[in-house]
Amino acid sequence: MEKRIGTFYGVSVGPGDPELMTLQAVRRLESCPVIAAPQTPKGGMLALDIAKGAVDLSGKTILPLRFAMSLDPAVQKAAHIEAARAVKEYLDAGQDVAMLNLGDVSVYATFGYLQEILEAEGYKTVMLPGVTSFCAAAARLGQSLTGGMEQPLTIAPGRCAAEVLAAPGAKVLMKSGRQLHETLAALADAGLLSRSAMVCNCGLPNEEVWPDLTDYDPARSAGYFATILVKEG
């Protein structure tokens, strides 16, 4: 009898509010025996905390995945290889593994690195979509991202603000917290602070909403999960 190999699922849990998780995500987490969750150096597992708000995960194996926050590609790659190795142990044992991903699994998600490694070795992977942080932020602000059917939308990391602000249409600057000072400076130089809004930790208990960044103090920390929306002028 052929040995069963497990499937690796990338499960989107949305930006913070458990109610934004899809039925598909909830059902997959209910059926998967192993839940893989990114873990910070201090031990926090935000994606797991969100999932627990929608799914009873008692009795399941929780597999913490520790990813390097280093900007060194070699250090990052080593962490991805180690995480994939940890996942493979369960897949080889015939168990499906669901990796939790904040927002949507296709947008700046670590899942893609493990997916590439595992698919190259013949493992089956499946992606389950979810609500992105910028869509949730737009809803929280009560504004359209595109303003109409013809307007372009540019999505980029906050560190790329200066490079994309001249492009036509609206802009989404994701994970802007670490580069907030530089991002705000780029917005100011382009005269776009009054047309820019920011939502930090969207859907979480410590959510903060800034509809206009004109008076935002650059010295004030916004945290890692800061999403900036820039309207087209």
Side-chain angles (χ1 to χ4, degrees), residues 66-79:
R66 299 174 180 86
F67 296 108
M69 300 304 287
S70 170
L71 296 178
D72 185 336
V75 174
Q76 292 181 355
K77 185 174 182 179

Side-chain angles (χ1 to χ4, degrees), residues 26-85:
V26 169
R27 288 168 180 161
R28 181 54 58 192
L29 294 182
E30 288 175 341
S31 66
C32 270
V34 182
I35 309 298
Q39 185 179 54
T40 67
K42 294 183 178 180
M45 292 190 283
L46 178 57
L48 181 65
D49 292 339
I50 294 170
K52 285 180 175 179
V55 186
D56 180 6
L57 299 179
S58 58
K60 296 184 181 294
T61 299
I62 305 300
L63 174 62
L65 299 178
R66 299 174 180 86
F67 296 108
M69 300 304 287
S70 170
L71 296 178
D72 185 336
V75 174
Q76 292 181 355
K77 185 174 182 179
H80 297 152
I81 291 174
E82 174 56 27
R85 182 202 61 75

Side-chain angles (χ1 to χ4, degrees), residues 87-207:
V87 169
K88 282 192 292 185
E89 289 187 12
Y90 293 96
L91 298 178
D92 289 341
Q95 293 184 292
D96 293 336
V97 178
M99 178 179 170
L100 306 178
N101 296 262
L102 293 172
D104 180 85
V105 71
S106 68
V107 182
Y108 300 124
T110 310
F111 171 81
Y113 296 109
L114 274 64
Q115 180 186 38
E116 182 178 4
I117 294 170
L118 293 170
E119 284 188 350
E121 297 185 25
Y123 293 91
K124 179 182 177 181
T125 69
V126 177
M127 299 169 67
L128 279 62
V131 176
T132 65
S133 61
F134 55 88
C135 287
R140 181 67 178 81
L141 291 162
Q143 70 181 56
S144 170
L145 280 172
T146 54
M149 302 302 290
E150 305 299 327
Q151 179 178 301
L153 176 65
T154 300
I155 303 168
R159 59 182 171 79
C160 298
E163 303 168 26
V164 303
L165 289 178
K171 320 293 184 307
V172 170
L173 303 175
M174 296 184 65
K175 298 183 178 179
S176 300
R178 287 182 177 175
Q179 296 85 24
L180 185 59
H181 190 277
E182 294 82 354
T183 303
L184 291 174
L187 290 168
D189 290 343
L192 293 172
L193 282 175
S194 64
R195 297 210 300 271
S196 301
M198 179 170 66
V199 179
C200 308
N201 304 306
C202 188
L204 295 169
N206 58 341
E207 174 186 272

